[in-house]
Amino acid sequence: MASSSLNGPAAADRRSEFRNKKPKPENRDESELLTVPDGWKEPAFSKEDNPRGLLEESSFATLFPKYREAYLKECWPLVQKALNEHHINATLDLIEGSMTVCTTKKTFDPYIIIRARDLIKLLARSVSFEQAVRILQDDVACDIIKIGSLVRNKERFVKRRQRLIGPKGSTLKALELLTNCYIMVQGNTVSVIGPFSGLKETLMIKRELAKDSELRSQSWERFLPQFKHKNVNKRKEPKKKTVKKEYTPFPPPQPESQIDKELASGEYFLKASQKKRQKMEAIKAKQAEALSKRQEERNKAFIPPKEKPVVKPKEASTENKIDVAAIKEKVKKAKNKKLGALSAEEVKLKMEADEKKKKKKK
C-alpha cells in the first residue's frame, strides 16, 4: 500500500507531461506552405453543404450606358437562364437604365450573389455575354480597373491608353496570352477576367521564372529591367507663328501725329468756325447716304417681279397630220372582205384543192 501511495503522484505528473507534449512540425519554409500544389482544385459548393438555404434576401443593382441598351435586350434571356441555374433572379429596367440581381428562397450558395453582381458590372462595361458568364465559375475571377484618374491631361491619357492596346491590338493580345486572361479596354476602365494568378501576372519574365522550382520562392527584382525616368516634354507649337522681320540698323519711321496730318491737308490753317462747318457737312453727307440706302430698301417691296415671256403654242408638224385618203382606202378593203361562213360551192372547191395537194404529196 505504501509503495502504491508513493508512486501515485509521480505517475500522474508524467502522464500530464506526456499529454501536454505536442508533435513538433517539420521545418518547412513559409513560401512552401503558401504555394498551392499543382493540380489542386477546391471542391464545388453543393446544396448538401447548405440544405436550409439563406435567411435573408440580398440584391445588387448597377447602371448601364445608353449605347448598351440594344445589346442587353438581345442577350438578357441568356443572362436570366444562366442565373436561374443558380436560383438568382435578374431584372432589366430600360426606363431607369439599370440591372438588378437578387437571391431567392432556393438559393443555397451565399457567394453566388457576389458573382452575379460582377456579371452585371462586366455587362455594363461592354464585355460580351460569352466572356462575362465565365465569372459564375469557381476558378474564375474578375477585376474592373479604373484608369481615367491616373493622368489628368486628357491627351496624354488617350495616348497611354492607345499604347496599352497597341497597333491593331497586338499589345493587348500579348498580355492576354501571358496572363491567360480576357482584357477589355473601354472608356476609362479596363475589365479583366481570368484565374486569380493571371490577374497579377503582367510580365513574361515572371512566367519564365515561375517554371523553375528553385527560383519560385526567391525575389525576382534582380531579373526585372530597371529604367531611368526621363521627363522629356515636347514643346507645343503655337497656333499663330510670328515671322521674324529682317534686321535693319535703322529705326522705324515715326508715325505722323494729328498736327502733321492737318498741316498736310491744310486744315491746320482754317478757323474754328470753318472746321466746325466742315464737320457738320461731313455728318450731313453720311446721314444723306444712310437715308438713301433705307429708301432703296423700302422701295424694293414695291418693285414688281419680272414676268415670264408668253410662249406661243407650236404649230402641228406636217408629219403628224392624219392622212384621210389612206384611212378611206383601208375601210373600203375591209368592206370588200367577206364575213361569216363559206357558201356550199366554195366549200366544194376548197375540198377538191385539198385532195389534189394530198395526191401530189403521195
Side-chain angles (χ1 to χ4, degrees):
M1 292 290 288
S3 62
S4 63
S5 62
L6 290 169
N7 293 331
D13 292 337
R14 286 173 190 170
R15 288 171 191 168
S16 62
E17 286 176 5
F18 181 75
R19 286 174 186 172
N20 292 331
K21 284 182 180 179
K22 293 181 180 178
K24 292 181 180 180
E26 297 178 1
N27 293 328
R28 293 184 181 179
D29 295 335
E30 291 183 1
S31 58
E32 291 182 7
L33 297 172
L34 292 173
T35 54
V36 180
D38 296 333
W40 182 84
K41 192 176 181 181
E42 190 176 351
F45 193 87
S46 61
K47 196 172 183 180
E48 296 174 358
D49 298 328
N50 187 15
R52 297 182 181 180
L54 305 177
L55 293 174
E56 294 185 2
E57 182 182 323
S58 301
S59 64
F60 290 99
T62 186
L63 300 172
F64 61 86
K66 185 72 175 175
Y67 61 85
R68 291 290 290 169
E69 185 176 332
Y71 180 77
L72 291 173
K73 267 189 200 176
E74 293 178 5
C75 72
W76 196 249
L78 299 172
V79 176
Q80 287 179 324
K81 186 180 178 182
L83 291 175
N84 284 337
E85 293 177 2
H86 301 277
H87 307 290
I88 297 288
N89 284 339
T91 54
L92 177 67
D93 192 349
L94 296 174
I95 298 169
E96 293 183 359
S98 64
M99 295 178 283
T100 310
V101 288
C102 61
T103 57
T104 60
K105 292 180 180 179
K106 295 182 180 180
T107 309
F108 60 88
D109 189 356
Y111 195 72
I112 196 64
I113 188 65
I114 304 296
R115 294 190 174 278
R117 178 202 65 184
D118 294 341
L119 172 63
I120 59 175
K121 279 187 177 181
L122 291 169
L123 289 171
R125 295 313 307 154
S126 298
V127 179
S128 61
F129 168 75
E130 290 78 10
Q131 293 291 341
V133 77
R134 289 171 53 207
I135 196 62
L136 299 177
Q137 302 172 12
D138 290 336
D139 56 346
V140 178
C142 76
D143 193 6
I144 298 173
I145 307 159
K146 295 180 180 179
I147 59 173
S149 59
L150 297 176
V151 184
R152 289 184 181 179
N153 192 348
K154 191 175 180 181
E155 292 180 2
R156 192 177 297 171
F157 166 71
V158 171
K159 287 180 182 178
R160 289 187 181 181
R161 184 178 63 183
Q162 189 59 37
R163 197 185 307 161
L164 175 65
I165 297 167
K168 297 181 181 180
S170 58
T171 308
L172 202 64
K173 200 71 179 174
L175 287 171
E176 287 181 349
L177 293 170
L178 289 171
T179 59
N180 292 326
C181 294
Y182 171 79
I183 304 171
M184 176 71 183
V185 180
Q186 177 66 24
N188 295 332
T189 58
V190 179
S191 304
V192 187
I193 306 168
F196 293 96
S197 59
L199 293 176
K200 294 181 180 179
E201 289 180 358
T202 54
L203 292 171
M204 190 185 291
I205 301 168
K206 287 188 177 182
R207 195 169 187 181
E208 293 297 325
L209 292 171
K211 292 178 182 178
D212 194 349
S213 59
E214 295 179 1
L215 296 172
R216 187 181 293 177
S217 59
Q218 295 182 11
S219 177
W220 297 345
E221 289 183 1
R222 56 198 175 102
F223 298 104
L224 299 175
Q226 295 179 358
F227 300 102
K228 292 182 179 180
H229 183 69
K230 293 181 180 180
N231 189 9
V232 180
N233 294 326
K234 291 184 179 179
R235 187 186 173 190
K236 292 183 179 179
E237 294 182 357
K239 292 181 180 179
K240 294 181 179 178
K241 292 183 179 180
T242 55
V243 180
K244 290 185 178 180
K245 296 179 181 179
E246 293 181 0
Y247 174 74
T248 54
F250 305 104
Q254 278 189 342
E256 291 184 351
S257 63
Q258 189 67 25
I259 297 170
D260 294 335
K261 290 177 182 178
E262 288 179 358
L263 286 168
S265 61
E267 190 180 349
Y268 182 78
F269 302 102
L270 295 175
K271 294 180 181 178
S273 59
Q274 291 175 342
K275 289 180 182 179
K276 193 174 181 181
R277 194 184 304 159
Q278 281 186 353
K279 286 181 181 179
M280 291 297 295
E281 287 176 359
I283 291 167
K284 285 179 180 178
K286 286 182 180 178
Q287 287 177 352
E289 285 180 7
L291 190 66
S292 62
K293 285 181 181 179
R294 286 178 194 169
Q295 196 66 31
E296 285 176 2
E297 288 178 359
R298 288 174 184 172
N299 293 335
K300 282 181 183 178
F302 301 101
I303 297 170
K306 292 182 179 180
E307 295 182 359
K308 293 180 181 179
V310 179
V311 180
K312 293 181 179 180
K314 293 181 180 179
E315 295 180 358
S317 60
T318 55
E319 295 177 359
N320 297 334
K321 286 182 179 179
I322 298 166
D323 193 357
V324 180
I327 292 169
K328 285 180 179 180
E329 287 179 4
K330 285 181 181 180
V331 172
K332 283 179 182 179
K333 287 179 182 179
K335 285 180 180 180
N336 293 332
K337 287 182 180 180
K338 292 181 179 180
L339 303 173
L342 298 171
S343 61
E345 293 178 358
E346 289 176 348
V347 171
K348 283 180 182 181
L349 293 170
K350 195 174 184 181
M351 292 281 285
E352 289 175 0
D354 292 338
E355 286 177 0
K356 286 178 182 179
K357 286 180 182 179
K358 285 179 183 178
K359 286 177 182 179
K360 285 179 181 179
K361 287 180 180 179
K362 289 178 181 179

